[in-house]
Amino acid sequence: MTSTSPDIPNCGGLPAAVSAFADAFVDFSVSGIFFPTNPPPPLPATPAATFLPAPSRLVAIGDLHGDLPKSLAALRLAGLLPPANSPDSSPTSTSWSAGPTLAVQLGDILDRGGDELRLLYFLRRLSISAAAQGGALLPILGNHEVMNVCGDFRFVTQPGLQEFSSWAGWYRAGLAIKRRCGDLEPPKNPFLGVPKSYPGIRREFWDGIRSRVAALRPDGPIARRFLADLPTVLVVGDSVFVHGGLLEANVEYGLERMNAEVSDWIRGERGDNARAPEYVCGRDAVVWLRRFSEGFNCDCDRLQGVLGMIPGAKRMVMGHTIQSEGITAVCGAQAVRVDVGLSKGCGNGLPEVLEISGGQSQLRVITTDPAEAWMYRKQKPEKPAAALEKNGDVKDGLALLVRESHALKGVEAKA
């Protein structure tokens, strides 16, 4: 036990209760959500399982990009939440309504919208509710999660920065509560070592950028809590879920090995400024690849070869590449693409989800009722904030990392 300073009161043998109160205070202030007072045991410092058996019903949901209302519409469309007109439904309801259904969300929760933190909190709370009902909600990592852990904020919006600035204020308040209890180990301050100024960026965004770096860098409180346990690749029954796509070299390297190494990187176990693993960076990375998700002239022979390296795999389900006409499938449904550009910050597409049932043999696209489609079509897509000033011009998006040389570099924090 830490020795108590004369200036810091002892918590009367209740340090755990004080810590839990501070965490609940921050959670509710940021998200409006209370988490269970008796949650399941803490997750071990290992990634989630890579291979899962086929459930009776499997659902896939594409990229969400910081748009909570549209995300809720997709979750309701999939039957994971009660219908909007149900007595059990409310804008903040986290009641799982799909029983033993297993739902996979294909990543890219972050960027392009202002509800990123609320989405992370909501999905985590809904996953707890799902587990209690015998179901599961399993997001995977997308390229935008990787980018943010790297400090690459090119697709952040002004509301997104404001949301993280607000989080930082509440998080500091939680730290202050914990510091008033001398029985507790001194809490780690994630803001230490994070730059306070960002030349080339409008000053009004500096606090949001600093807050975002602190939250999402390796071992940052949001990265560790919400991202570190997400798989990069997930195989459920005969379906392979990956944000961008897999190539032969990825399968040879090992899917479980990739998941474990990316998890370690996000937890900061490779150092606060460790580089992301190579296979999640670059054009052919598993979270960036578009070889099997772009257009209808897919390299079906190569896809079949990759799937053939994964025992029992029959299809690859991907996000990342917007399908402007809705969910598509090519190569005899061996490549299924579920990113419909849902978010208002990324196309404002109509909600659609993929359902796999009947012993994994029946694929069905569940789409928005035409009677409801007008609500989304009348909404105009949002544009990113103009934040980077260069030679008198204002560029769209934060583009934090674009210098005069146009080289890309992540924001680093001093250890």
Side-chain angles (χ1 to χ4, degrees):
M1 180 179 296
T2 305
S3 60
T4 305
S5 165
D7 298 326
I8 302 177
N10 187 289
C11 293
L14 296 174
V18 173
S19 181
F21 168 78
D23 291 338
F25 167 75
V26 174
D27 287 348
F28 186 77
S29 299
V30 172
S31 67
I33 293 173
F34 280 119
F35 282 75
T37 54
N38 294 308
L43 293 169
T46 57
T50 301
F51 295 89
L52 296 173
S56 58
R57 180 174 184 255
L58 178 60
V59 168
I61 301 170
D63 307 26
L64 302 179
H65 280 305
D67 190 332
L68 181 58
K70 294 290 290 292
S71 299
L72 293 177
L75 293 167
R76 292 192 184 102
L77 188 64
L80 309 183
L81 290 173
N85 58 358
S86 166
D88 297 327
S89 181
S90 73
T92 58
S93 173
T94 56
S95 298
W96 180 261
S97 62
T101 295
L102 190 157
V104 180
Q105 192 279 317
L106 271 292
D108 277 8
I109 299 167
L110 299 178
D111 286 341
R112 302 187 186 275
D115 301 325
E116 298 162 280
L117 283 169
R118 283 183 286 273
L119 257 177
L120 288 172
Y121 274 91
F122 186 89
L123 294 175
R124 179 56 56 91
R125 181 63 184 86
L126 185 60
S127 71
I128 295 172
S129 177
Q133 299 295 323
L137 172 59
L138 304 174
I140 66 174
L141 292 171
N143 60 305
H144 285 264
E145 283 72 55
V146 172
M147 291 170 69
N148 275 269
V149 177
C150 289
D152 182 340
F153 300 153
R154 282 172 288 167
F155 297 95
V156 172
T157 64
Q158 183 173 350
L161 287 182
Q162 292 169 342
E163 188 184 34
F164 273 83
S165 287
S166 177
W167 164 84
W170 292 117
Y171 195 84
R172 288 188 179 100
L175 291 178
I177 293 172
K178 293 180 180 181
R179 290 190 184 115
R180 296 302 300 167
C181 183
D183 305 69
L184 286 172
E185 290 289 335
K188 181 178 179 179
N189 184 350
F191 303 94
L192 292 178
V194 180
K196 294 183 178 180
S197 62
Y198 299 87
I201 305 298
R202 287 163 54 182
R203 185 180 292 269
E204 66 196 84
F205 296 114
W206 286 5
D207 182 68
I209 295 166
R210 184 168 190 255
S211 301
R212 199 172 182 103
V213 173
L216 292 168
R217 61 169 165 165
D219 196 32
I222 296 299
R224 173 174 279 272
R225 181 176 181 185
F226 295 109
L227 304 181
D229 62 327
L230 304 187
T232 305
V233 183
L234 182 64
V235 182
V236 183
D238 57 15
S239 299
V240 180
F241 295 91
V242 60
H243 183 71
L246 293 175
L247 296 177
E248 298 87 347
N250 306 133
V251 183
E252 290 173 354
Y253 190 82
L255 306 186
E256 291 174 312
R257 181 182 177 187
M258 284 195 295
N259 282 347
E261 291 177 352
V262 173
S263 177
D264 287 347
W265 167 61
I266 295 177
R267 290 182 201 282
E269 294 179 10
R270 297 183 166 206
D272 289 346
N273 284 314
R275 289 184 177 275
E278 183 178 352
Y279 45 78
V280 292
C281 301
R283 184 182 301 273
D284 287 338
V286 296
V287 295
W288 284 96
L289 188 73
R290 298 187 192 273
R291 187 180 299 269
F292 306 127
S293 61
E294 208 164 39
F296 289 90
N297 295 319
C298 182
D299 188 345
C300 297
D301 291 338
R302 187 166 189 186
L303 172 62
Q304 187 173 14
V306 174
L307 290 173
M309 298 173 68
I310 304 171
K314 293 182 180 179
R315 69 187 64 86
M316 191 178 296
V317 183
M318 296 156 283
H320 188 47
T321 303
I322 294 176
Q323 312 298 308
S324 58
E325 301 301 318
I327 292 173
T328 63
V330 295
C331 303
Q334 288 186 314
V336 186
R337 297 86 71 92
V338 300
D339 178 9
V340 295
L342 180 78
S343 170
K344 290 194 296 294
C346 190
N348 198 33
L350 292 178
E352 284 192 350
V353 299
L354 175 71
E355 179 186 70
I356 304 174
S357 58
Q360 303 283 284
S361 62
Q362 299 175 11
L363 276 66
R364 179 170 74 108
V365 175
I366 306 175
T367 192
T368 302
D369 188 319
E372 300 177 3
W374 66 272
M375 294 189 301
Y376 304 115
R377 290 198 174 101
K378 73 177 184 178
Q379 299 171 351
K380 294 182 179 180
E382 296 176 351
K383 292 184 178 181
L388 178 67
E389 299 184 20
K390 180 180 175 184
N391 297 330
D393 298 326
V394 178
K395 291 189 173 185
D396 282 342
L398 288 183
L400 293 186
L401 317 175
V402 180
R403 305 303 182 194
E404 294 293 333
S405 63
H406 299 287
L408 299 181
K409 181 182 178 183
V411 178
E412 292 188 354
K414 296 180 179 178

